[in-house]
Amino acid sequence: MSTTGATADPLATLGALPGVAESVETVRKAVDRVYGHRIMRRRSNEITSEAALRGARGSAALSGADWALEELRRRTDFSGDDEARTVGAALRLTAEAGQLLSIWRQSPLRVLARLHLVAAADSDPRVGRPRQDGEPVDEPLVELPLPNAAEVSGRLEGLSRLIIAGGSAPALVTAAVVHGELLALRPFASHNGLVARAAQRIVLVGSGLDPKAICPAEVGLAELGRAAYLAALDGYVSGTPEGMAAWIAHCGKAVELGVRESVAVCEALQRGAA
């Protein structure tokens, strides 16, 4: 997405695309439904914790580590093979995201650097900074052409300016653009998908749409599947109105499915079965 055009608020312009308003309204109603569940009045912290675990599982699955939820509950060591490290990174990012909400609107690039540091958890000098030309990118899911370092820098700065400026765009639109832009750019040497989905979570929570972090979009993205995810991302990268609207709708459907997951958790807790 170009963030340097003449439009004062390009995110708001995306909100006016055909079908996007409907997606926004559907998501809002779904979120209201889970927040209105009576179990939320007494056990919201449990719903938040469960949503975090399930969201991390979904994000890791999209990055190639599709583990059963029971395995995540059982394991304590995530330092073994590549899959275990991916799951560990997803869990760390989900925990860290909630600590960065106050910083996001003032310094989103600082938050992205922190997210990459948390995900990578090593001393590689490339960790926590945008990649330079010629540096390889380890991103098992996305195979789109890589923008060069100058384009990455320019687009990250543009995205940062939009976030700091705020605006009237719905939270879903902003979250989808942050998510899509990071996947398209892959600004870091590794863990870009995990970081992109964590950044989307920060926007949805920090915007007030999902303040208790109980609507794990990552669950929905995993349920919709990798093929649909990549097809929707192609639409985002195309920059066409139709493609952008399809990407936003895909992200919206993922939030709806995340809501459904948390409603099921609420009902299980209500029955005393969880």
Side-chain angles (χ1 to χ4, degrees):
M1 174 191 177
S2 173
T3 58
T4 58
T7 305
D9 188 352
L11 295 180
T13 300
L14 293 178
L17 291 174
V20 170
E22 290 83 351
S23 293
V24 168
E25 184 61 22
T26 300
V27 166
R28 185 180 295 112
K29 288 179 178 177
V31 172
D32 287 347
R33 186 164 60 251
V34 68
Y35 272 88
H37 199 289
R38 65 181 185 174
I39 203 73
M40 282 292 296
R41 290 194 295 271
R42 295 181 289 111
R43 304 178 72 175
S44 64
N45 288 343
E46 292 173 71
I47 309 302
T48 296
S49 295
E50 190 64 21
L53 185 67
R54 295 180 184 221
R57 183 211 164 270
S59 190
L62 284 171
S63 286
D66 192 359
W67 287 17
L69 196 60
E70 292 72 19
E71 181 70 4
L72 269 71
R73 297 190 200 280
R74 183 186 69 82
R75 289 282 286 267
T76 57
D77 180 11
F78 297 96
S79 62
D81 59 17
D82 286 347
E83 284 197 7
R85 287 192 291 272
T86 295
V87 173
L91 289 167
R92 291 192 301 274
L93 283 172
T94 301
E96 186 73 12
Q99 310 303 312
L100 298 172
L101 296 172
S102 63
I103 305 171
W104 175 253
R105 285 295 298 270
Q106 285 73 44
S107 185
L109 298 185
R110 179 181 163 196
V111 169
L112 293 176
R114 175 62 184 168
L115 290 174
H116 189 239
L117 280 165
V118 168
D122 64 35
S123 58
D124 188 313
R126 296 174 298 171
V127 170
R129 64 156 174 81
R131 59 182 168 80
Q132 299 172 4
D133 283 333
E135 291 182 341
V137 173
D138 179 13
E139 185 55 53
L141 180 64
V142 181
E143 298 180 351
L144 295 166
L146 278 172
N148 62 35
E151 182 177 354
V152 168
S153 177
R155 287 172 63 172
L156 284 177
E157 287 292 341
L159 184 65
S160 177
R161 286 194 297 271
L162 284 178
I163 293 165
I164 292 169
S168 60
L172 174 63
V173 173
T174 303
V177 168
V178 168
H179 184 177
E181 194 72 354
L182 293 174
L183 281 179
L185 294 177
R186 282 145 292 157
F188 301 111
S190 62
H191 300 92
N192 289 287
L194 293 173
V195 168
R197 293 183 287 274
Q200 175 180 262
R201 170 180 284 266
I202 288 172
V203 175
L204 293 173
V205 174
S207 68
L209 177 65
D210 180 23
K212 294 183 182 292
I214 60 170
C215 305
E218 304 95 332
V219 168
L221 291 168
E223 183 175 338
L224 291 167
R226 290 190 188 188
Y229 191 47
L230 293 177
L233 178 61
D234 283 343
Y236 178 86
V237 172
S238 76
T240 65
E242 297 80 9
M244 298 291 287
W247 170 251
I248 295 167
H250 187 79
C251 292
K253 182 64 176 176
V255 175
E256 290 179 62
L257 292 172
V259 166
R260 188 180 70 179
E261 186 91 352
S262 287
V263 168
V265 171
C266 287
E267 291 176 353
L269 287 172
Q270 188 167 286
R271 293 192 304 268

